[in-house]
Amino acid sequence: MRVTVAEDRVIRIQGDPDHPPTHGALCTKVSRYAERVEHPERVLYPMKRSGPKGSGQFERVSWDEALGDIARRLQAIAARNPQAVLPYSYAGTMGLLQGEAMAARFFHKLGASLLDRTICASAGAAGLQATYGGKLGMHLEQFAGSKLIVIWGSNSIASNLHFWTFAQQAKRAGAKLWCIDPRRSETADKCHRHLALKPGTDGALALSLMHELITRGWLDADYIERHVEGWPELRERALQWPPERAAQVCGVPADDIRELARDYGTTQPAAIRLNYGMQRVRGGGNAVRLVALLPCLTGAWRHPSGGMLLSASSWFLRAIDHAALQRPDLLAGRRPRTINMSTIGDDLLREGSEAFGPKIEAVVVYNSNPVAVAPESRKVVQGFAREDLFTVVLEHFMTDTADHADYVLPATTQLEHLDLHTSYGHTYVLLNQPALSPRGEAKPNTQIFRELAARMGYDDACFFDTDEALARQALKPGIAYEALQAHGWQKLPLPDAPFAEGGFLTPSGKADARGADHLPNHECAESTPALAAQYPLAMISPPARHFLNSTFVNVKSLRSIEGEPLVEIHPDDAAPRGIATGMLVRVFNDRGSYRCKAEVSTRARPGVVNGLGIWWRKFGVDGTNVNELTHQQLTDLGRAPSFYDCLVQVAADAPATSVAPAVA
Ligand SMILES: Nc1nc2c(c(=O)[nH]1)N[C@H]1C(S)=C(S)[C@@H](COP(=O)(O)OP(=O)(O)OC[C@H]3O[C@@H](n4cnc5c(=O)[nH]c(N)nc54)[C@H](O)[C@@H]3O)O[C@H]1N2
Ligand SMILES: Nc1nc2c(c(=O)[nH]1)N[C@H]1C(S)=C(S)[C@@H](COP(=O)(O)OP(=O)(O)OC[C@H]3O[C@@H](n4cnc5c(=O)[nH]c(N)nc54)[C@H](O)[C@@H]3O)O[C@H]1N2
Ligand SMILES: [Mo]
């Protein structure tokens, strides 16, 4: 990103045209980033709660008062049991310094509970780890040279724009594009073929593709022989999945599966852009394993423009020293329990016990908005509303979570602080240099934890490291801080075709097919018939194009594009329910109810509704959002939430032309 500034104000924000993977392009959201930084509702001063929990009533206090009181409260809790304190953070910034650096040092020193950061990607990560030995994949730029691209569980135009540019280059050069997505997304519209499978059935589809590769003779026997472990067993299982059987499970024509298999089996180089949408279901981890094996069966990995990409973030382990940043040695032999961030709803409501450990008495939230983004909101809200819970939130805005805080501390944005970034989509290390001075009394997360550490009396040298010192400590030999300062970014030294000769990072060096299987255990008529009789529609809740999870929802120019919270429903499901576009509907199940506007549209496939996310609850008709309906059941691998594995019913509520949000 290049920011032009005059008198400490942003004049212009552009992409860096020299940076190969992003090539000068910014998405709509980030191109409006200045609107967010200078937003009139930005939290600019430390705020202390002055009304009941969750009331959103706060008064301004000094940093001195806020930090002093927070340190005293945390110390009192820690004196009983430090594990009663829980850090809660995720993707607000994905920067290494403002993420888990000084914060991690602070909580390690305290001996706080550890957080299992599972809310987004850990099912897929576990799938890749098991299969390839890490989150490893193709170079983004190489998709431009592919002859076939399967965009699988990804609305690239909305959420992976930089990839989409390369896919378009390939398309212009004659490549065929397939999209595998229950929703007819903006991306599906632009692909040659769209397979609108039922959510949670990707594993069955992958097995059926394998069936065709085997029976039609499209396998690369030499690559399999040398670089795949456990294929004979998986081969037997795949042979039980002829296209007719998968067609039944996936809800798509068998001939479409055959056509996709033929394209995949007979085109080189063939690339799969897998993304996280398809692993937010209970069988998501194994589904990723099966898809990750496809390029090993056809030898697609032999080509730089063949193979697959879900995440390439493990390549960065060669460049980044996370232990130097996070200093797990500060635990000094203590082994605190781990809390899964995806079950925060249940865990905040748990009493202390032998198995669970102490009741959670304090939560420090940074880079996250759990009240809006975590599953089964009713419980999450109930937990954060506990009068006996001490909550500190580092934020830019009064989010749904900040509303429940005892203290809200003003944090800086990307434009106001230093940071170091990796990526899961591309293979470049980047330096984020501040362009503006901090607004109001905002401080970087690092600085807030540094000052809190001082108040707690932590005098280890590592609590005095500056942000630049942190960045230097994070870089392993080969990436120089000065080079990043000069150019902004540096590419990781990696071969163009990383697995052309095998060399996976598994212990055997082979792609591991052992134990990869499909368990059709998502919520559906076959596996949960009683539930499906009551709640016959499957609901997925992928992001709205102009929001970034729950970030940007309060930026007016972006919210006005998205309009109002809505659910897309297919005409065949809308008609019998008397639902028309613009009507207010009630989407509900045993966990809760969410009222929003209906959009009758073939973007939804029959039997599936799309509740686009993630709105702030306070913008919802009843002060709720789509996570009122999602559950806390975890995936087969990786302990991740299964947001897109969620049966609901939809009913007409009242005719309405416009739904007034609770907050203007
Ligand atoms: N504009 C925008 N961009 C974003 C984000 C955002 O909120 N807004 N979020 C960022 C983050 S944190 C992430 S993790 C990524 C998320 O981006 P992706 O990894 O692409 O994941 P999703 O957007 O959750 O889902 C992608 C597509 O998968 C489809 N899908 C849902 N269920 C299934 C299924 O069972 N099988 C298959 N095959 N497809 C399914 C959805 O309809 C959706 O179109 O995007 C990042 N980029
Ligand atoms: N139903 C449903 N739920 C989902 C998803 C879905 O697809 N459907 N997607 C899931 C996914 S993929 C993810 S990654 C999670 C995302 O969940 P979160 O990680 O909670 O992401 P955001 O909702 O964007 O909230 C991040 C907050 O961090 C703040 N922030 C940004 N930068 C900074 C900073 O530098 N310092 C501080 N202190 N704060 C900062 C922002 O203002 C914002 O309020 O949501 C998950 N929840
Ligand atoms: Mo995510």
Side-chain angles (χ1 to χ4, degrees), residues 29 120 158-159 180-181 200 202 275-277 543 545 547 549 644:
K29 306 176 294 299
C120 167
S159 60
I180 303 178
D181 193 320
D202 301 85
N275 227 322
Y276 286 114
R545 183 172 175 181
F547 301 151
N549 299 312
Y644 300 171

Side-chain angles (χ1 to χ4, degrees), residues 98 100 141 144 194 252 329 369-370 539 564 616 628 632:
Q98 307 307 333
E100 310 321 317
E141 301 93 309
H194 174 210
V252 297
D329 56 295
N369 184 9
M539 186 192 75
E564 296 161 302
W616 286 8
E628 200 72 13
Q632 298 179 67

Side-chain angles (χ1 to χ4, degrees), residues 266-426:
T266 62
T267 314
Q268 297 274 16
I272 299 173
R273 179 40 163 150
L274 193 65
N275 227 322
Y276 286 114
M278 55 78 76
Q279 49 99 69
R280 306 192 207 287
V281 292
R282 257 166 289 186
N286 269 292
V288 168
R289 290 205 67 188
L290 291 165
V291 176
L293 286 162
L294 290 170
C296 306
L297 302 181
T298 59
W301 280 119
R302 292 181 189 272
H303 310 268
S305 296
M308 84 121 188
L309 176 63
L310 169 57
S311 166
S313 54
S314 293
W315 294 128
F316 290 95
L317 297 176
R318 298 162 183 216
I320 304 295
D321 185 345
H322 291 278
L325 281 176
Q326 301 175 1
R327 298 291 305 270
D329 56 295
L330 293 164
L331 283 170
R334 294 167 297 177
R335 296 184 61 191
R337 66 157 169 208
T338 300
I339 298 284
N340 187 337
M341 70 187 302
S342 303
T343 54
I344 188 67
D346 279 340
D347 289 343
L348 282 180
L349 298 177
R350 255 187 247 285
E351 293 300 325
S353 71
E354 186 112 14
F356 180 62
K359 184 174 184 172
I360 299 172
E361 292 184 61
V363 187
V364 182
V365 181
Y366 51 103
N367 305 338
S368 187
N369 184 9
V371 171
V373 306
E376 204 173 356
S377 316
R378 189 173 52 84
K379 290 190 178 168
V380 183
V381 171
Q382 212 181 323
F384 276 100
R386 271 174 45 197
E387 283 291 341
D388 65 339
L389 182 74
F390 180 60
T391 305
V392 179
V393 177
L394 284 59
E395 252 301 346
H396 303 149
F397 293 104
M398 292 307 298
T399 60
D400 292 323
T401 306
D403 281 345
H404 289 82
D406 292 280
Y407 280 99
V408 181
L409 302 178
T412 48
T413 64
Q414 294 304 126
L415 300 196
E416 303 154 77
H417 58 225
L418 183 79
D419 218 330
L420 194 62
H421 284 260
T422 57
S423 169
Y424 70 86
H426 64 65

Side-chain angles (χ1 to χ4, degrees), residues 5 10 59 69 110 143 181 183 198 227 248-249 258 281 347 424 437 449 452 476 489 513 539 584 601 613 640:
V5 171
V10 175
E59 63 189 20
D69 196 24
L110 181 67
F143 280 87
D181 193 320
R183 178 170 185 252
K198 294 183 191 168
H227 306 306
Q248 201 70 33
V249 171
R258 280 192 202 93
V281 292
D347 289 343
Y424 70 86
S437 67
F449 285 107
L452 214 44
K476 289 186 178 172
W489 46 267
M539 186 192 75
L584 196 58
S601 163

Side-chain angles (χ1 to χ4, degrees), residues 565-630:
L566 62 82
V567 64
E568 295 171 342
I569 182 166
H570 189 273
D572 293 353
D573 294 319
R577 292 172 172 82
I579 292 170
T581 292
M583 274 172 116
L584 196 58
V585 291
R586 202 161 52 87
V587 189
F588 60 99
N589 58 25
D590 287 341
R591 290 174 292 278
S593 148
Y594 168 50
R595 282 197 308 159
C596 63
K597 223 170 81 169
E599 189 151 306
V600 179
S601 163
T602 54
R603 291 219 176 275
R605 59 154 285 155
V608 179
V609 294
N610 312 324
L612 301 186
I614 308 175
W615 286 79
W616 286 8
R617 288 168 63 85
K618 50 183 150 186
F619 287 116
V621 189
D622 301 318
T624 60
N625 73 11
V626 73
N627 277 322
E628 200 72 13
L629 305 167
T630 52

